[in-house]
Amino acid sequence: MAPGNARPTSRDVAQAAGVSQAAVSLVLGDKWRGRVSAATAERVRQAARELGYRPNLAARNLRLGRTRTVLLVVPALTTEFFAGVYTGAARVAARHGFGVVLYPSPEGIGPARDPFHSAQAALDGVIASSMAADALTAIHGDQLPLVMLDSDPHGSLGAATVNLDIADGVRQVADHLLALGHRRFLHLAADVPSWTFRIRERELAARLAETPGTTLRTTRAPISIEDALTAAETALAAPGPRPTALVCDDDKLAAGAYKAARRLGLRIPDDLSVTGLDDLALATALDPELTTVRLDAELFGERGMQALLAVLEGHPPEQGDIPVQLVVRGSTAPPGA
């Protein structure tokens, strides 16, 4: 049994046998013929025996064809972004006769009942956002075929990863602001321990470092308008030359930054350019409308579901990050405009 685990998982079997989780699913589901070699199948079975691995109820039901249900693990449905991810995933799932169950419930209702608790809720696989890693761990999601969203492809728990090209989005923001003439930057970073936000911070610093004479300060806030207001107000009022450009990890953070700027008597974009990332409906409700990076949430969900279907069938998922697009609106202008 794997150290520290209450019970071995299919991932442990895959590592011991030197194969993918998809291959383990095929062999233990008796669907390996014509897809993996007999020698590989025996190696998987031997690893499972030595580890004492027993497929859980959901995996057994999958072999018997009793369930066509996928779990989508997201942090919460408090913005339309994850609602869009669900819509895209459910659209692809429906075309293949699958249903999609959400975990956890939206904030304010409380966490969903553990979907592994009941035989009626057995699952074929899991699609999970890296922002919901705690929930994934709590429900032992790595015991099923798993696709990770917005996750480090080199350190992912999943059999596949699907990512938006966030790094390119941040580079587009930086290039836009640099071209306008900005050199003093403030990064309002999401205070969330997630790979996708580490990428934003790393790429922004790297891109700005390529242009001589730039300065970059970072302040952090949870993803809420009020927390962003407090963090941005404190940072903008700090001693020293004031930043002329404020780069926000999320559109909700940008909304808080707008409120902070107005409290300090700063005009957007005359005194301060502000950018977001997501292109939520909120972006066009702000005045002036927000320059931000458009993320295709529905396509993100579609690609996640397509990747899980490929894993279940033993096929390689589609490769390549999903392109993103900078949308320039009224919140950015040359410094001092």
Side-chain angles (χ1 to χ4, degrees), residues 58-149:
R60 185 159 63 248
N61 281 349
L62 172 61
R63 292 199 305 275
L64 297 173
R66 292 176 183 167
T67 177
R68 296 180 72 81
T69 306
V70 170
L71 189 72
L72 175 62
V73 183
V74 298
L77 295 182
T78 51
T79 72
E80 72 263 27
F81 180 79
F82 286 110
V85 172
Y86 168 78
T87 299
R91 181 185 300 125
V92 172
R95 290 201 296 264
H96 292 82
F98 279 75
V100 177
V101 176
L102 278 168
Y103 182 97
S105 296
E107 287 182 0
I109 298 175
R113 183 166 177 256
D114 184 345
F116 290 85
H117 180 73
S118 165
Q120 285 73 37
L123 301 167
D124 290 358
V126 178
I127 305 169
S129 166
S130 65
M131 291 175 65
D134 289 345
L136 180 64
T137 300
I139 62 176
H140 309 295
D142 63 350
Q143 294 183 18
L144 287 168
L146 171 64
V147 169
M148 292 296 298
L149 306 179

Side-chain angles (χ1 to χ4, degrees), residues 188-190 221-225 228-229 248-258:
L188 182 51
I223 302 178
S224 80
I225 293 174
L229 162 61
C248 302
D249 273 355
D250 177 274
D251 291 354
K252 289 177 73 174
L253 295 178
Y258 269 52

Side-chain angles (χ1 to χ4, degrees), residues 169-203:
V170 172
R171 290 191 291 267
Q172 291 181 51
V173 167
D175 289 349
H176 169 64
L177 292 170
L178 289 168
L180 289 173
H182 292 279
R183 295 297 181 269
R184 296 196 305 273
F185 291 82
L186 174 63
H187 180 202
L188 182 51
D191 190 10
V192 177
S194 174
W195 174 83
T196 184
F197 293 115
R198 291 194 294 271
I199 287 294
R200 296 169 208 215
E201 184 169 10
R202 185 194 74 191
E203 290 300 324

